Amino acid sequence: QVRLVESGGGSVQAGRSLTLSCEGSGFLGTSNCMGWFRQAPGREREAVATIYLGTGTAEYADSTKGRFTISRGTFRNTMFLQMNKLESSDTAMYYCAAHSGGIWACNLNQGNYDYWGQGTQVTVSS
């Protein structure tokens, strides 16, 4: 059974940094892609960043490019999201997602992701 567990959320002031972690277990295969998505109150869920674990190839949403960095962990099926220069508009529930569909499906399209975590809340105050 696939399980994704996020951690690292919290409340910070604008301009500060925060790092999220996601640990996955129960994955099948080796062509694993993981990503971060977020949903603010009253808004649709949107992509933040994704990474193909085999190569470290990453993709970012325009809203986070240059401020956020996604990386893979030392242990298999783990990843991090370093968030710098946080803004109030970054306030949202952040979800870890994953699939084993290979690098060609490793992108910001939410429909490609089969597995989702419960989320971790990030609140940025101005």
Side-chain angles (χ1 to χ4, degrees), residues 9-53:
S11 297
V12 296
Q13 290 186 322
R16 304 296 293 269
S17 300
L18 205 60
T19 301
L20 304 182
S21 302
C22 177
E23 182 176 350
S25 61
F27 278 44
L28 298 176
T30 58
S31 301
N32 296 326
C33 173
M34 298 182 77
W36 289 100
F37 298 81
R38 67 186 182 185
Q39 186 168 22
R43 302 189 65 177
E44 293 187 355
R45 189 168 59 192
E46 63 177 4
V48 175
T50 63
I51 187 166
Y52 184 67
L53 298 186

Side-chain angles (χ1 to χ4, degrees), residues 35-76:
W36 289 100
F37 298 81
R38 67 186 182 185
Q39 186 168 22
R43 302 189 65 177
E44 293 187 355
R45 189 168 59 192
E46 63 177 4
V48 175
T50 63
I51 187 166
Y52 184 67
L53 298 186
T55 61
T57 302
E59 185 174 353
Y60 295 90
D62 289 341
S63 60
T64 63
K65 201 174 297 183
R67 297 189 300 123
F68 291 9
T69 302
I70 190 171
S71 61
R72 49 185 176 171
T74 302
F75 297 102
R76 191 172 177 176

